[in-house]
Amino acid sequence: MTQLYNSRKRILVTGGAGFLGSHLIDRLLDEGDEVVCVDNLFTGSKRNIDHLHGNPRFEFLRHDVCFPLYVEVDEIYNLACPASPIHYQHDPVQTTKTSVHGAINMLGLAKRLKCKILQASTSEVYGDPAVHPQIEEYWGHVNPIGPRSCYDEGKRCAETLFFDYHRQHDLKIKVMRIFNTYGPRMHPNDGRVVSNFIMQALKGEPLTIYGEGDQTRSFCYVDDLVDGMIRLMNSSDDITGPINIGNPVEFTIKELAKEILEKVKSKSSLVFVPLPLDDPKQRQPDISKAKELLNWHPKIQLNDGIKSTVSYFESFLDRAAN
């Protein structure tokens, strides 16, 4: 392993050109580590990592995790997978392959290198939950054959693989269940509610609300999320997870729409359309384990996080217009 010859860690981040991955890489580089960013750019963007190419501790590899990868690193963060319904439903078979084959390939690499590996799992493993808020011990309420199943079941299978590698090969694993995250560098057309509402409000278009807008979500700002991810990776080896990382403060979709309209100073109207199949009615993490084991809790309020995210999308639209 490289760390035997160098006190600086060399870290692999798959999906590193994506929204979460690029913020994670920024933080790791700020802490003095070397980073190998792997992405096939299906949903990731070079724009998210353009500012890093002059950094001698940063390396980009265009690669699909569905195929084996041979590199020498000290830690692996496995974030590769389309994460928004529009993207993961575009090619559902490939989405499942990315979660399952990608996990197998990265676990195999970690096994060979004898290094720690973190899986970016998701609150979608809980499906449309019958338990609220969601605790890690809850097994979920997931439709295995619906339009969202490629993502939900792919991530569930990836968790299975991680724990089987841990039990069978004594691999050092970390499994993190990510709840709704937002912030700068979100894809403008990813179909997620925060980016949808902001883009529609900035363009003066009606805000599209699915159902009555009474369904709830808990929104975690990306900086808080990355902090939780790094704390989990750096925790003692007996803390494997899964651990929920998200903001436990719950908002209805209509409340979110109102907050964004105020920040954008938009007079856009609201348009209500039918709720998609298997769309969860409630989503709120129980973060007791994160507080106890990682000394982690989110610090950035929705009001401040939305302000930063709106500023990013304003700049994005300005660049697109010029």
Side-chain angles (χ1 to χ4, degrees):
M1 293 172 61
T2 57
Q3 205 171 353
L4 292 174
Y5 308 100
N6 190 335
S7 59
R8 178 186 293 159
K9 286 190 291 187
R10 180 171 167 84
I11 300 174
L12 172 63
V13 179
T14 72
F19 161 50
L20 292 181
S22 62
H23 282 279
L24 171 63
I25 289 172
D26 283 347
R27 173 76 178 273
L28 294 172
L29 291 171
D30 285 346
E31 293 186 353
D33 296 315
E34 295 180 11
V35 177
V36 179
C37 169
V38 166
D39 205 299
N40 67 353
L41 301 180
F42 173 60
T43 57
S45 171
K46 287 184 177 179
R47 182 178 60 247
N48 291 336
I49 54 173
D50 273 346
H51 63 291
L52 301 175
H53 286 298
N55 191 319
R57 290 182 284 108
F58 174 77
E59 180 181 353
F60 173 69
L61 297 176
R62 186 164 184 171
H63 180 83
D64 188 331
V65 295
C66 290
F67 301 93
L69 179 66
Y70 302 99
V71 293
E72 302 296 319
V73 294
D74 304 303
E75 291 178 350
I76 302 170
Y77 288 84
N78 187 37
L79 277 63
C81 189
S84 72
I86 284 179
H87 291 149
Y88 66 64
Q89 291 172 3
H90 173 72
D91 189 344
V93 172
Q94 187 61 34
T95 295
T96 305
K97 285 182 177 180
T98 301
S99 285
V100 178
H101 292 185
I104 290 169
N105 288 326
M106 291 306 107
L107 286 162
L109 178 62
K111 178 188 170 188
R112 177 176 72 82
L113 297 173
K114 296 181 173 60
C115 72
K116 268 192 298 188
I117 179 169
L118 181 145
Q119 168 67 6
S121 190
T122 172
S123 60
E124 297 295 338
V125 301
Y126 298 121
D128 188 3
V131 170
H132 192 76
Q134 290 78 61
I135 56 174
E136 290 88 349
E137 290 76 16
Y138 176 51
W139 290 355
H141 179 224
V142 177
N143 178 358
I145 59 171
R148 301 171 69 103
S149 305
C150 58
Y151 185 67
D152 302 3
E153 295 288 31
K155 288 289 191 177
R156 284 163 69 94
C157 185
E159 288 196 12
T160 299
L161 287 162
F162 265 68
F163 278 91
D164 283 339
Y165 266 78
H166 173 63
R167 287 184 287 258
Q168 189 171 337
H169 302 295
D170 199 28
L171 194 65
K172 296 175 183 178
I173 66 163
K174 307 286 181 178
V175 175
M176 171 182 178
R177 291 178 177 163
I178 298 172
F179 283 69
N180 290 66
T181 308
Y182 70 99
R185 300 183 200 157
M186 293 184 80
H187 195 291
N189 301 311
D190 66 4
R192 300 190 207 189
V193 65
V194 172
S195 50
N196 264 7
F197 282 178
I198 292 176
M199 289 294 286
Q200 289 170 337
L202 288 172
K203 292 178 179 179
E205 300 171 353
L207 272 59
T208 305
I209 293 182
Y210 294 98
E212 299 298 318
D214 296 324
Q215 66 270 40
T216 64
R217 295 291 184 273
S218 306
F219 300 99
C220 185
Y221 190 68
V222 64
D223 290 355
D224 282 333
L225 188 284
V226 166
D227 181 54
M229 187 177 288
I230 291 175
R231 283 172 184 256
L232 177 56
M233 177 63 96
N234 293 338
S235 63
S236 62
D237 292 346
D238 61 315
I239 300 175
T240 60
I243 290 187
N244 292 334
I245 299 291
N247 195 321
V249 180
E250 199 174 9
F251 293 89
T252 68
I253 298 302
K254 283 192 290 192
E255 288 173 333
L256 175 68
K258 181 181 178 183
E259 181 75 29
I260 288 173
L261 289 173
E262 288 179 357
K263 288 290 176 294
V264 177
K265 296 180 172 56
S266 169
K267 296 182 179 178
S268 294
S269 59
L270 305 181
V271 172
F272 296 85
V273 299
L275 200 63
L277 183 65
D278 297 331
D279 191 60
K281 299 174 186 64
Q282 290 182 305
R283 190 58 64 71
Q284 181 190 17
D286 182 309
I287 61 168
S288 301
K289 285 189 176 181
K291 287 179 176 178
E292 177 187 352
L293 300 175
L294 308 179
N295 192 28
W296 178 88
H297 63 88
K299 299 175 182 176
I300 298 171
Q301 301 298 316
L302 185 70
N303 177 62
D304 296 323
I306 290 295
K307 190 183 303 181
S308 299
T309 311
V310 167
S311 295
Y312 168 78
F313 279 110
E314 286 175 334
S315 298
F316 175 86
L317 288 174
D318 286 345
R319 290 194 304 269
N322 295 325

